[in-house]
Amino acid sequence: MTTQIGVSFDGSLDEDSIWTWCSRVIATFSCSGEKEVNLAVEDAKAAFKIWRQKSGLERGRILLEAARIIRERTDEIATVESINNGKSILEARLDIDTSWQCLEYYAGLAGSMAGEHIQLPGGSFGYTRREPLGVCVGIGAWNYPFQIASWKSAPALACGNAMVFKPSPFTPVTALLLAEIYTEAGAPPGLFNVVQGGGATGQLLCQHRDVAKVSFTGSVPTGTKIMEAAAKGIKPVTLELGGKSPLIIFADCNLENAVKGALMANFLTQGEVCCNGTRVFVQKEILDKFTEQVVQQTQRIKIGDPLLEGTRMGPLINRPHLERVLGFVKGAKEQGAKVLCGGDPYVPEDPKLKDGYFMRPCVLGNCRDDMTCVKEEIFGPVMSILSFDTEAEVLERANNTAFGLAAGVFTRDLQRAHRVVAELQAGVCFINNYNVSPVELPFGGYKKSGSQPVGIVTAQNRGASREGFGRENGRVTIEHYSQLKTVCVEMGDVESAF
Ligand SMILES: NC(=O)c1ccc[n+]([C@@H]2O[C@H](COP(=O)([O-])OP(=O)(O)OC[C@H]3O[C@@H](n4cnc5c(N)ncnc54)[C@H](O)[C@@H]3O)[C@@H](O)[C@H]2O)c1
Ligand SMILES: NCCCC=O
């Protein structure tokens, strides 16, 4: 089916259709069906045969070259990403930075993939080899299109795998630039293949018998389906899912930083960020002061054309999503929350932008834990402020959620900061900051956000790897894109039982 990117999306969600935020067609392409998915996997298999023979150092060299090209083309890729997704050009550039940084990081690790050597009786010995899995599938969400494609492909390729990647149909464009760059850097054709489409294409990929692993970023309901499909083929999965993360502001914090942190935790990429700290718990003593400053700064956020340098918030991804987010604000009011600012559609003066899906960022006061806006992931620019008295109380309330992606704490008390994060049920915790993404640190969730604390502890990952559904970034991700082979070597004669 041929689809157009950029047709205004006002109707029902057709998974095979592509749209952009401002009613303009920017490209057309065909969604992949069974035939195209088979071709993509076949190509990736052929590339894998070549790629797996290369040493880690050789693979690393190609990844480094790809990182260099991305860095060199940052402005161009960021511009396309901004059109692709609607995020401000400033943020898009930061995403591109975290993308080439990820490739550089895994380029460095590629040569360090190693097993163990184990002495056995009589001079015999064993060793382990860390080997690639084969053709891996990456399926992305629409909020960080280029970054997600990079964060999935870099560790996969560094470990010697090939990848077939499917971006979200809402943001199909920039993954193609990444594919082009890998090829230009010297990767065998088909090593990083992109197929386009929605859920149906995603399912074909997950069910494909030649696919060894699926790495998915998206919502919990889709993650459940991916896991089901992968379970049928006994395939490992990495699941990076949704969240409703707490941000805890203690009265002894540096207030200026806490206010900045709360904005960073809520309003990047129009609030469409999985790890956002949308439940902002503020200790009673500073509630009024904090709220006043947060509202003031939120009202100053410049909304508009994301390609303009001064813009800090662009449009949401599509009309149904905008309406969904506005619906949460309406519901919050009905449940007793107070809209302290924003929460309504925004129409920029520029006539070219009048059909864009803009809204004013919203701060909700008078929130309670039982409100829908506090319990459910909104995935839009809506911050809920809640007050608390004691550390024990806020910890219990912060953890009272099925999600567990991220959490943050602002305090000047060093002991309290570490005591609190040790108790928070979240995969990524921030102390005195929020939503920074160093690629050296693993990223992923607890509970329904991505994983349960199970997993296998090896000599290499001891103390680090206990996550069931994987992580992105950091050294630990090597474990999730490779498998361990044990080789047992006899130096004497066979002692037969027969
Ligand atoms: N934890 C993270 O790292 C992270 C990062 C970004 C977004 N997210 C989450 O993603 C969600 C928003 O993104 P979204 O709306 O694109 O999510 P989504 O689950 O609707 O879609 C994600 C991807 O899955 C594909 N898909 C849909 N149905 C499928 C199926 N049955 N089988 C295979 N693939 C299928 C989509 O086409 C898309 O590419 C939010 O919940 C957000 O929190 C999580
Ligand atoms: N920069 C990390 C964002 C991932 C979640 O949406």
Side-chain angles (χ1 to χ4, degrees):
M1 176 186 183
T2 300
T3 59
Q4 291 193 321
I5 305 170
V7 180
S8 170
F9 180 40
D10 292 316
S12 63
L13 192 80
D14 170 358
E15 66 179 19
D16 283 329
S17 299
I18 315 302
W19 319 96
T20 195
W21 54 267
C22 214
S23 311
R24 271 176 261 159
V25 176
I26 54 171
T28 59
F29 62 82
S30 300
C31 288
S32 298
E34 199 168 348
K35 187 175 143 217
E36 293 79 17
V37 164
N38 286 342
L39 271 174
V41 175
E42 274 311 307
D43 263 13
K45 267 170 70 181
F48 172 64
K49 276 196 187 142
I50 304 167
W51 190 243
R52 70 188 296 268
Q53 298 300 338
K54 291 194 185 294
S55 71
L57 216 58
E58 289 169 320
R59 295 196 294 266
R61 210 172 290 136
I62 289 172
L63 284 174
L64 266 187
E65 175 60 6
R68 190 197 61 73
I69 301 170
I70 295 173
R71 196 172 180 173
E72 193 177 87
R73 291 174 62 179
T74 297
D75 280 344
E76 173 211 341
I77 304 169
T79 302
V80 181
E81 188 73 322
S82 180
I83 295 166
N84 202 24
N85 163 275
K87 65 176 70 194
S88 75
I89 186 71
L90 178 97
E91 276 193 55
R93 282 193 202 110
L94 297 175
D95 291 5
I96 310 311
D97 287 346
T98 56
S99 300
W100 62 254
Q101 284 161 7
C102 182
L103 267 70
E104 270 191 354
Y105 178 72
Y106 286 105
L109 286 186
S112 74
M113 267 179 74
E116 287 182 291
H117 180 277
I118 301 121
Q119 294 286 355
L120 296 173
S124 293
F125 62 94
Y127 63 93
T128 56
R129 290 165 53 86
R130 191 148 280 284
E131 298 184 343
L133 300 168
V135 176
C136 300
V137 156
I139 297 180
W142 43 259
N143 59 343
Y144 282 82
F146 193 82
Q147 186 191 74
I148 290 173
S150 303
W151 284 14
K152 291 191 187 306
S153 60
L157 268 47
C159 291
N161 304 286
M163 177 165 271
V164 179
F165 186 82
K166 190 196 81 59
S168 164
F170 296 118
T171 51
V173 185
T174 43
L176 295 167
L177 294 180
L178 183 62
E180 186 183 286
I181 288 168
Y182 277 131
T183 308
E184 189 186 335
L191 188 72
F192 178 77
N193 253 340
V194 177
V195 294
Q196 300 286 359
T201 309
Q203 278 295 303
L204 287 170
L205 288 167
C206 296
Q207 290 159 0
H208 199 291
R209 65 179 190 153
D210 291 332
V211 164
K213 179 203 165 92
V214 181
S215 175
F216 169 75
T217 296
S219 62
V220 174
T222 310
T224 310
K225 289 185 199 155
I226 304 258
M227 227 184 134
E228 281 166 5
K232 288 196 179 118
I234 323 274
K235 292 174 192 174
V237 287
T238 290
L239 297 178
E240 297 293 354
L241 308 179
K244 190 73 197 178
S245 302
L247 169 60
I248 304 172
I249 315 281
F250 284 99
D252 66 353
C253 68
N254 173 321
L255 190 66
E256 197 185 330
N257 278 332
V259 169
K260 284 199 266 180
L263 266 76
M264 286 292 287
N266 279 272
F267 299 135
L268 288 172
T269 305
Q270 298 74 248
E272 298 158 329
V273 183
C274 53
C275 43
N276 269 359
T278 46
R279 292 184 292 143
V280 182
F281 292 96
V282 186
Q283 206 158 20
K284 271 213 179 96
E285 296 91 301
I286 59 161
L287 179 66
D288 291 345
K289 218 165 160 189
F290 173 88
T291 306
E292 189 189 315
Q293 293 190 22
V294 158
V295 169
Q296 251 177 31
Q297 295 200 19
T298 302
Q299 285 171 323
R300 276 193 221 132
I301 293 175
K302 179 128 181 49
I303 315 164
D305 183 344
L307 290 173
L308 295 180
E309 289 296 337
T311 300
R312 290 295 174 268
M313 188 174 285
L316 274 65
I317 192 71
N318 54 43
R319 181 155 310 278
H321 188 59
L322 171 67
E323 276 161 12
R324 185 175 169 273
V325 174
L326 294 173
F328 271 106
V329 176
K330 184 167 172 273
K333 276 193 275 190
E334 285 163 6
Q335 291 182 332
K338 190 164 177 207
V339 177
L340 302 173
C341 65
D344 51 343
Y346 175 80
V347 183
E349 281 170 20
D350 183 344
K352 287 201 307 291
L353 304 180
K354 73 174 178 27
D355 291 328
Y357 313 123
F358 297 92
M359 71 173 278
R360 267 183 256 264
C362 177
V363 179
L364 296 173
N366 277 1
C367 292
R368 296 185 317 269
D369 293 2
D370 65 341
M371 289 176 173
T372 310
C373 64
V374 176
K375 289 195 295 191
E376 287 182 21
E377 183 182 45
I378 299 176
F379 220 55
V382 182
M383 177 195 302
S384 297
I385 298 185
L386 304 124
S387 72
F388 74 93
D389 283 309
T390 68
E391 183 181 316
E393 171 212 332
V394 76
L395 267 172
E396 193 181 324
R397 290 169 62 196
N399 285 333
N400 187 17
T401 167
F403 295 111
L405 187 50
V409 53
F410 274 83
T411 175
R412 283 195 172 98
D413 181 336
L414 199 62
Q415 284 158 327
R416 177 178 11 223
H418 294 287
R419 191 169 61 228
V420 166
V421 292
E423 290 305 315
L424 284 168
Q425 295 162 4
V428 182
C429 292
F430 301 96
I431 295 177
N432 292 334
N433 205 342
Y434 208 99
N435 270 345
V436 284
S437 305
V439 297
E440 301 91 328
L441 301 184
F443 182 87
Y446 282 11
K447 303 200 282 193
K448 280 199 172 166
S449 296
S451 77
Q452 298 289 349
V454 293
I456 298 155
V457 181
T458 67
Q460 281 187 332
N461 69 14
R462 190 172 294 124
S465 175
R466 287 171 189 276
E467 53 303 307
F469 302 146
R471 285 289 180 270
E472 287 186 327
N473 292 339
R475 182 176 279 275
V476 71
T477 297
I478 295 288
E479 313 278 331
H480 299 291
Y481 280 104
S482 60
Q483 55 193 337
L484 205 61
K485 178 177 279 173
T486 299
V487 182
C488 187
V489 183
E490 177 60 61
M491 294 296 280
D493 292 325
V494 173
E495 274 186 29
S496 173
F498 306 100

